[in-house]
Each structure stands twice: as structure tokens, then as C-alpha cells.
Amino acid sequence: MAGAVSGFSEEQFWEACAELKQPVLAGADWELLMEALGLRFYRLRDQETGLYKYKVFGTLKDCPPALLIDVYMDLDYRKQWDQNVEELYERECNGQTVVYWQVRYPTLMSNRDYIYIRERRDLHVEERKVYVVLAQSISHSQFPERSGVVRVKQYKQRLAITSDGRKGSKVFMYYFDNPGGQIPTWLINWAAKNGVPEFLNDLAKACQTYPGRS
């Protein structure tokens, strides 16, 4: 969009792009958590919160990059395939695309909501197109906190996608989420350990039924 204000630096986009080609795991205690769906899932404990940061590398078969990025960016479609979505929409605020996302939590637990900016760039590297999306939580006066819903203050995601040279996508994803509230740290870590692979599996399945799929 002409005149849009970016909340991210050019360097951040290229860093995500570079990690797609060469994973950065050295110099920190990243541990291999699991291998599933053609992907490797790593985690690193955040010393401040006790929660884990996640990095994912690998290939999603039969999900062409242009399709995968369209499905990922399509918030209206996500409300159809993601059963955890209570409310989800985006709004233009001062030249930025701001997303409101409320996540449905189990009975007796408060829902969580997120206010975050996200931006997509299509980069060209060695004659290949690389799609990069950055997202990060912010505070914004147009999205006041709601009674009975816990506002998530720490959320960050980086996604980079390119062709695997066949019919699939080579993928890099970084994810960190601190849902706050009174949930024990061990329970948050357990939920994230299952939730990150589950999200990517559901995303891959959603590609197969996307209305815009050719």
C-alpha cells in the first residue's frame, strides 16, 4: 500500500529469508523437540519467562509457496479451518495493518486476545521468490482491553517460504507467545509443544481445500 508505515526493518525481513536457507541454531541451547510432517521443531527456553521460543525448518509437501502464503494471510478463511478462533479481523491504522485475534480457550479459562502488526514482503533471492511475513504484538488505543479476556503482551512470529523445487514449500518459522494470566508455565509449554505442530498441520490441510486453489 502506497505510503504505508512499516513496523519492521528491512534487515528483519532479510534475516528471516537467510534463515530459510541456513538455520541459525548455534550459540544457544536450541534443542530438537521433534520431527513431524517433514519438519524439524526446535525450542529454546526464554530465561526471563521460562517459556519456550520455537523454530521450525523443513518442507510441506503438496503446498506450493504461492498457495501456502495466500492461505496463511487469508484471515477470513482461517476462521473456517482454525477451530480455536473466536474473533479475527484486520484494520488499517495510521498506515499499518493491525490484526485483532481472540483465541478460544477451554472452559473455566479466560480467552486470550492479541493486537499485532504484520507485514508481508515478496523477496527475490537467486532467481527464486521468497515470501516473508513478520508479526509482532503491539498496544493500540483503538483496541482497548476487554473484560474477561486476557490481553497477550508478548507475541512474535516470523515466517519465510519458498519453493522446494517440486510441488511443495520449504518453510522457516519462528514463534514465541506468552499468554499471561495465571496459567502454570509447565502447562503453557505443554500446550505450545503440541500447538505449534498442530497449527502447521492444519495449515497444510487448509491448502488442500482453499477456494482459490487452482
Side-chain angles (χ1 to χ4, degrees):
M1 184 178 72
V5 178
S6 176
F8 305 99
S9 69
E10 194 74 19
E11 182 180 11
Q12 287 175 295
F13 286 95
W14 285 103
E15 283 177 353
C17 182
E19 196 148 10
L20 177 65
K21 181 178 181 180
Q22 183 61 50
V24 178
L25 298 167
D29 296 324
W30 288 96
E31 61 173 307
L32 178 61
L33 181 63
M34 69 177 76
E35 295 186 51
L37 312 171
L39 302 167
R40 286 188 163 202
F41 296 80
Y42 294 85
R43 69 179 184 179
L44 174 68
R45 184 182 292 273
D46 179 71
Q47 298 301 318
E48 181 179 344
T49 63
L51 303 177
Y52 285 100
K53 306 171 184 179
Y54 294 87
K55 285 186 177 183
V56 183
F57 305 93
T59 300
L60 289 175
K61 296 181 179 179
D62 199 29
C63 292
L67 172 64
L68 185 59
I69 196 67
D70 283 348
V71 171
Y72 179 82
M73 296 295 291
D74 192 333
L75 299 185
D76 286 334
Y77 183 52
R78 180 166 180 175
K79 287 184 281 189
Q80 298 178 37
W81 60 264
D82 188 344
Q83 300 304 309
N84 296 316
V85 171
E86 180 70 27
E87 189 175 350
L88 181 62
Y89 62 90
E90 62 184 9
R91 181 185 298 168
E92 292 297 316
C93 301
N94 300 322
Q96 287 185 326
T97 299
V98 180
V99 178
Y100 176 83
W101 174 34
Q102 185 178 151
V103 179
R104 187 178 296 125
Y105 266 55
T107 305
L108 303 181
M109 298 179 69
S110 299
N111 284 358
R112 264 58 179 173
D113 69 0
Y114 301 69
I115 307 301
Y116 64 93
I117 54 172
R118 72 169 182 171
E119 187 176 341
R120 167 183 166 178
R121 293 277 184 90
D122 297 354
L123 307 177
H124 293 271
V125 181
E126 298 175 354
E127 300 183 354
R128 281 194 176 185
K129 181 176 284 189
V130 180
Y131 303 96
V132 179
V133 181
L134 304 181
Q136 183 168 313
S137 56
I138 62 168
S139 59
H140 202 290
S141 60
Q142 292 191 33
F143 300 88
E145 295 189 27
R146 301 184 182 185
S147 176
V149 179
V150 176
R151 175 63 48 86
V152 175
K153 305 292 178 60
Q154 294 177 288
Y155 166 74
K156 183 179 289 186
Q157 188 168 18
R158 301 195 295 264
L159 180 71
I161 302 169
T162 194
S163 172
D164 68 347
R166 303 179 185 85
K167 296 182 179 180
S169 294
K170 185 178 179 182
V171 175
F172 158 66
M173 188 178 81
Y174 169 91
Y175 184 85
F176 178 72
D177 182 356
N178 181 1
Q182 302 302 313
I183 306 174
T185 299
W186 69 265
L187 183 56
I188 296 173
N189 287 331
W190 176 84
K193 176 182 176 181
N194 293 277
V196 174
E198 182 179 305
F199 168 74
L200 288 168
N201 186 45
D202 289 347
L203 180 65
K205 288 181 179 178
C207 288
Q208 308 310 312
T209 56
Y210 188 52
R213 184 183 176 95
S214 56

